[in-house]
Amino acid sequence: MIFTGCQDEVMDPVTFQVDVSQFSKELSQNEQNQAAEKELQRAEKTLNRMISIINDKYRNNTTLMENILKSQDAWKEYREFHMLSVFPGPEFGWGSMFRMSYNIEKSRVTWLRVKELYKWVSPGKAGEEYPDPWHGSYGMYEKIVPEE
């Protein structure tokens, strides 16, 4: 499903992954490092846009938005610790490929988060994307007030 966030914007979940087409053996290491940085920027720009769209769609559900923003802060911390676990320290001698490898992995993890957040942007209908009609807060634009 392709979601249009606004008139000029199309977000296709098929593109929510590292674009490996920009890397080739013909490129210098510096060019590959630059391509990896560009890929990380693309992932982070999409992530920030996704948060903005969620905020717009769910602004009337303040409890949900507070929790999404808290989860986003926790996810950022997770991502940093994940990166430290994948690339633990300089003693491993990562060499000239470090920047490229680091940014590709950080992009990969960021795209996974974008895919998770996309569920709030394009929740589908019960019986389609989510077979269980009790699929949580996806699509719950208004705060649910319990019956008395």
Side-chain angles (χ1 to χ4, degrees):
M1 171 184 259
I2 296 175
F3 170 75
T4 304
C6 67
Q7 197 170 6
D8 300 324
E9 177 182 39
V10 176
M11 300 183 89
D12 186 350
V14 172
T15 66
F16 297 165
Q17 60 186 338
V18 175
D19 179 7
V20 294
S21 68
Q22 58 189 326
F23 301 97
S24 74
K25 293 178 182 179
E26 289 77 37
L27 295 176
S28 69
Q29 187 60 59
N30 186 48
E31 290 170 321
Q32 290 186 48
N33 290 343
Q34 290 173 355
E37 286 175 23
K38 184 178 173 184
E39 178 60 28
L40 179 57
Q41 290 171 357
R42 183 176 77 91
E44 289 185 339
K45 180 180 178 182
T46 305
L47 175 67
N48 291 333
R49 183 64 188 129
M50 194 69 66
I51 292 290
S52 177
I53 292 168
I54 290 170
N55 193 41
D56 289 346
K57 284 179 149 288
Y58 292 87
R59 68 180 162 267
N60 294 328
N61 192 336
T62 54
T63 303
L64 172 65
M65 281 313 304
E66 288 171 6
N67 289 327
I68 283 182
L69 295 175
K70 286 178 189 176
S71 75
Q72 186 61 16
D73 290 341
W75 175 82
K76 286 178 184 177
E77 189 173 353
Y78 157 78
R79 182 177 69 166
E80 292 310 311
F81 282 110
H82 172 76
M83 295 308 298
L84 288 172
S85 68
V86 175
F87 298 99
E91 66 272 12
F92 290 93
W94 303 109
S96 63
M97 288 183 59
F98 173 75
R99 276 181 44 216
M100 179 189 72
S101 301
Y102 184 91
N103 286 331
I104 289 173
E105 178 62 15
K106 196 169 186 178
S107 297
R108 187 190 68 77
V109 173
T110 302
W111 285 121
L112 291 173
R113 179 65 175 163
V114 168
K115 287 177 185 178
E116 282 298 309
L117 292 172
Y118 188 72
K119 292 175 185 175
W120 278 280
V121 171
S122 181
K125 296 177 183 172
E128 291 179 3
E129 192 170 339
Y130 300 101
D132 182 351
W134 303 104
H135 57 265
S137 63
Y138 306 127
M140 193 181 297
Y141 305 120
E142 303 290 331
K143 183 176 180 182
I144 290 182
V145 179
E147 293 181 23
E148 294 183 22

